[in-house]
């Protein structure tokens, strides 16, 4: 794997809130085109880490580069090369499907013609051409999720950050959603995803598991299952996360 | 620039598609102006008055009869000396005292001109002004009739004196205050709510991850509301003008420019509120209690600042609406230009600048 291109490079990332250390000396690399799972119990520090990587928050210390840009000095450049989808899907409910696409395309500085072209392609691919002019609030949750993901990568970022993208969605829709993620990753997109669902962790190329602000494990799901002598990722997660939680 | 335009268009969609917001934006100001107007404009009927007749002649008797038969006045007390005037006002028995000077009829006949002194209780300025107007009208009608029957042109000077409120605030003085309140309410509350809504929906995070700068997000959020607030201010002015006859004596351009300044001030306060509130409810409550209530209570709109305890008077200097109301009253009613309100304008401009800076800085910091 070492010859692969590194798109996120994190060394000694520390984030403190007063006396509380949310991220304790994180070190990891994410390679181009991989689906990187970022797991951890609530409060383990994964949201803090993802916010730092997206430029929403400054780290206390550490060397970090995202998409080849330094997180302290080149925040604006990073922003143009990443996409972000939050757990709330972040679409405007009172705008139509097309208006949402146009708006998000617009804030990334895409030209109107380019937006129209990409929007058409996107709608055809999702089979959403009929709801082009429907308000978002009239769509089922699974549709919103797919649309939110497609919009997050509309400007063709190098990396897309997905913060618990499958919350509240039924298993079939989740499966379809992962198919979308794979498809995009196969085209060279790097996917950085946080999730609660351990079956989803098994879909990732590599996963890191955080507990108490530290990364306790980082490897392919298969290796982790073997190493921790478990039968599923769920067991791995419980073995890693539980001892810490009981402290 | 293009990014900003898309943002602003999107913001307008939010506003126009949410009919409840529209109702608040345009219904509320109109309702407030009408409410204030009709509550404060009271038709006077059977108002209690007292008479101090030092002359007691045919003319004074006639005029008193005219007054009491007009339907506007009820003779409640007949006074014998000026010492009693204070007493009847204090007891609240009468709203107005009519004083005829000595040798009223004789003076009128010999000199062709006599004098009636009116003392009105101007603690209720609207009623006081109405009573004085009615009294003058009754006296003038009497003179006109007399001129017709006797062929002599006589003059009676009705000299009103406003007690308890010598400055005599006119009945339409409420309009500037309502403009201040409504602009403060709409501009600050609606902006803070709309920013808080983006936080609630999670769209704010997406905006912040995008290449948009904090300044651009704020401008995009604020521009539509500047535009709407401006329309609203115009609506209130129109309602004031055509329903209540509030004049706009000073330069209209200056009036609109000052309104714009106040709108910007209120919007920057709205942004500031939004930076400290995570939900729409919080934003609404903070706007109501921290911005709207002080505006109503301490701006001099309802309670005269001169009558407040010293401490509150000092606090009132920090209420932006106070300066705006002074500016509005000067331009609209006194008809003066910038030369009379430059100080207030500078104060408002300074406060606006301060809050814009503070909210932009806070906006960045809070969202980290």
């Amino acid at each position: 794997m070492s010859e692969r291109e590194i798109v996120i490079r994190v060394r000694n990332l520390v984030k403190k809130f007063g006396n509380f250390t949310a991220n304790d000396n994180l070190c990891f690399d994410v390679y181009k085109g991989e689906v990187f799972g970022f797991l951890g119990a609530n409060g383990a520090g994964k949201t803090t880490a993802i916010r730092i990587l997206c430029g929403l928050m400054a780290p206390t210390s550490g060397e970090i580069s995202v998409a080849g840009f330094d997180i302290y000095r080149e925040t604006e450049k990073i922003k143009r090369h990443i996409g972000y989808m939050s757990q709330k899907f972040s679409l405007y409910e009172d705008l139509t499907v097309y208006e949402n696409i146009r708006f998000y395309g617009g804030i990334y500085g895409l030209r109107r013609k380019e937006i129209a072209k990409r929007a058409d392609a996107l709608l055809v691919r999702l089979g959403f051409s009929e709801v082009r002019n429907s308000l978002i609030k009239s769509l089922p949750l699974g549709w919103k999720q797919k649309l939110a993901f497609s919009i997050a990568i509309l400007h063709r970022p190098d990396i897309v950050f997905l913060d618990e993208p499958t919350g509240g969605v039924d298993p079939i829709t989740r499966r379809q959603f992962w198919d979308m993620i794979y498809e995009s990753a196969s085209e060279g997109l790097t996917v950085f995803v946080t999730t609660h669902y351990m079956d989803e962790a098994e879909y990732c190329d590599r996963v890191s598991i955080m507990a108490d602000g530290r990364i306790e494990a980082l490897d392919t799901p298969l290796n982790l299952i073997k190493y921790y002598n478990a039968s599923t990722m769920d067991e791995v997660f419980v073995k890693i996360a539980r001892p810490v939680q009981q402290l | 620039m293009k990014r900003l335009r898309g943002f602003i268009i999107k913001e307008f969609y939010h506003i126009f598609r949410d009919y409840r917001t529209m109702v608040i934006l345009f219904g509320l100001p109109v309702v407030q102006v009408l409410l204030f107007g009709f509550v404060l404009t009271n038709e006077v009927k059977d108002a209690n008055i007292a008479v101090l007749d030092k002359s007691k002649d045919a003319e004074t008797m006639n005029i008193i009869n005219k007054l009491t038969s007009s339907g506007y006045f009820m003779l409640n007390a007949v006074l014998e000396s000026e010492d009693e005037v204070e007493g009847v006002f204090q007891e609240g028995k009468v709203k107005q005292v009519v004083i005829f000077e000595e040798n009223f009829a004789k003076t009128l006949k010999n000199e062709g001109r006599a004098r009636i002194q009116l003392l009105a209780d101007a603690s209720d300025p609207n009623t006081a002004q109405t009573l004085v107007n009615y009294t003058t009208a009754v006296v003038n009608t009497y003179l006109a009739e007399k001129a017709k029957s006797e062929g002599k042109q006589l003059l009676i000077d009705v000299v009103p004196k406003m007690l308890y409120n010598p400055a005599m605030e006119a009945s339409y003085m409420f309009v500037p205050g309502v403009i201040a309140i409504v602009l403060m309410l709409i501009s600050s509350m609606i902006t803070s709510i709309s920013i808080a809504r983006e936080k609630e929906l999670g769209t704010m995070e997406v905006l912040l991850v995008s290449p948009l700068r904090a300044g651009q997000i704020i401008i995009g959020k604020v521009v539509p509301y500047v535009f709407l607030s401006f329309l609203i201010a115009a609506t209130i002015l129109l309602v004031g003008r055509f329903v209540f006859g509030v004049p706009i004596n000073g330069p209209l351009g200056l009036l609109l420019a000052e309104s714009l300044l106040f709108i910007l001030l209120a919007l920057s306060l709205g942004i500031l509120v939004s930076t400290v509130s995570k939900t729409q409810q919080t934003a609404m409550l903070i706007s109501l209690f921290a911005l709207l209530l002080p505006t109503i209570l301490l701006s001099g709109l309802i309670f005269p600042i001169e009558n407040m305890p010293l401490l509150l008077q000092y606090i009132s200097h920090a209420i932006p609406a106070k300066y705006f109301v002074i500016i509005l009253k000067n331009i609209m009613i006194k008809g003066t230009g910038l030369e009379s309100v430059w100080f207030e304008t500078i104060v408002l401009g300074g406060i606006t600048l301060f809050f814009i800076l503070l909210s932009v800085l806070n906006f960045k910091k809070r969202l980290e």
Side-chain angles (χ1 to χ4, degrees), chain A residues 213-230:
Chain A
R214 277 187 297 273
I215 291 183
E216 295 291 336
L218 199 172
D219 211 331
T220 63
L222 217 59
N223 287 348
L224 286 177
I225 289 171
K226 238 188 272 170
Y227 182 82
Y228 283 93
N229 197 19

Side-chain angles (χ1 to χ4, degrees), chain A residues 131-169:
Chain A
V131 295
R132 180 190 171 97
N133 296 317
S134 309
L135 294 181
I136 295 295
K137 61 179 152 207
S138 67
L139 301 183
L141 198 63
W143 292 32
K144 290 183 198 173
Q145 180 200 35
K146 285 181 193 166
L147 185 63
F149 177 71
S150 303
I151 287 178
I153 59 171
L154 185 74
H155 58 289
R156 306 199 174 135
D158 298 342
I159 307 159
V160 65
F161 291 88
L162 309 175
D163 192 8
E164 287 172 28
T166 51
V169 178

Side-chain angles (χ1 to χ4, degrees), chain B residues 221-246:
Chain B
K221 276 274 154 202
V222 155
V223 166
Y225 293 107
V226 171
F227 181 75
L228 282 177
S229 304
F230 211 63
L231 278 185
I232 288 161
T235 310
I236 305 175
L237 286 174
L238 285 176
V239 173
R241 178 75 190 82
F242 292 107
V243 181
F244 299 109
V246 186

Side-chain angles (χ1 to χ4, degrees), chain A residues 88, chain B residues 192-205 208 271-280 363 366-367:
Chain A
K88 296 171 185 163
Chain B
S192 61
I193 288 176
S194 92
I195 295 178
R197 184 172 54 198
E198 298 239 12
K199 286 193 200 170
E200 240 175 71
L201 292 175
T203 48
M204 186 55 86
E205 279 185 8
L208 290 166
I271 298 166
L272 196 61
V273 169
S274 75
T275 59
V276 293
S277 32
K278 281 205 175 95
T279 66
Q280 298 180 59
F363 188 78
R366 287 283 167 170
L367 290 165

Side-chain angles (χ1 to χ4, degrees), chain A residues 51 54-58 76 79-80 82-96 99 102-104 106-112 135 137 163, chain B residues 2-11 13-15 17-18 197-214 221 364 366-368:
Chain A
R51 290 177 74 87
C54 289
L56 286 175
M57 205 185 263
E76 297 305 315
K79 285 182 171 182
R80 253 172 276 152
I82 61 170
Y84 175 73
M85 174 183 167
S86 84
Q87 47 193 326
K88 296 171 185 163
F89 303 163
S90 313
L91 299 168
Y92 292 99
E93 299 271 313
D94 52 348
L95 300 187
T96 66
E99 283 161 356
R102 193 177 57 191
F103 172 69
Y104 281 116
I107 62 175
Y108 278 94
L110 298 183
R111 292 177 186 284
R112 207 182 306 172
L135 294 181
K137 61 179 152 207
D163 192 8
Chain B
K2 208 186 279 170
R3 291 177 192 180
L4 201 56
R5 205 183 62 182
F7 200 118
I8 293 170
I9 292 173
K10 165 221 139 206
E11 204 60 33
Y13 281 142
H14 289 323
I15 296 167
R17 288 191 185 155
D18 181 5
R197 184 172 54 198
E198 298 239 12
K199 286 193 200 170
E200 240 175 71
L201 292 175
T203 48
M204 186 55 86
E205 279 185 8
V206 181
L207 294 181
L208 290 166
V209 173
S210 84
L212 281 177
R213 287 161 194 279
K221 276 274 154 202
K364 281 185 179 162
R366 287 283 167 170
L367 290 165
E368 274 191 354

Side-chain angles (χ1 to χ4, degrees), chain B residues 132-180:
Chain B
V132 168
N133 291 346
Y134 285 179
T135 312
T136 315
V138 169
V139 171
N140 286 340
T141 317
Y142 173 70
L143 283 177
E145 283 169 8
K146 207 171 158 61
K148 228 186 233 168
S149 58
E150 297 177 17
K152 256 198 287 182
Q153 202 64 48
L154 298 172
L155 211 59
I156 295 177
D157 296 321
V158 178
V159 185
K161 189 176 172 195
M162 296 299 170
L163 301 181
Y164 312 117
N165 182 6
M168 191 51 201
E169 307 263 308
S171 62
Y172 43 63
M173 280 301 195
F174 73 92
V175 169
V178 173
I179 295 179

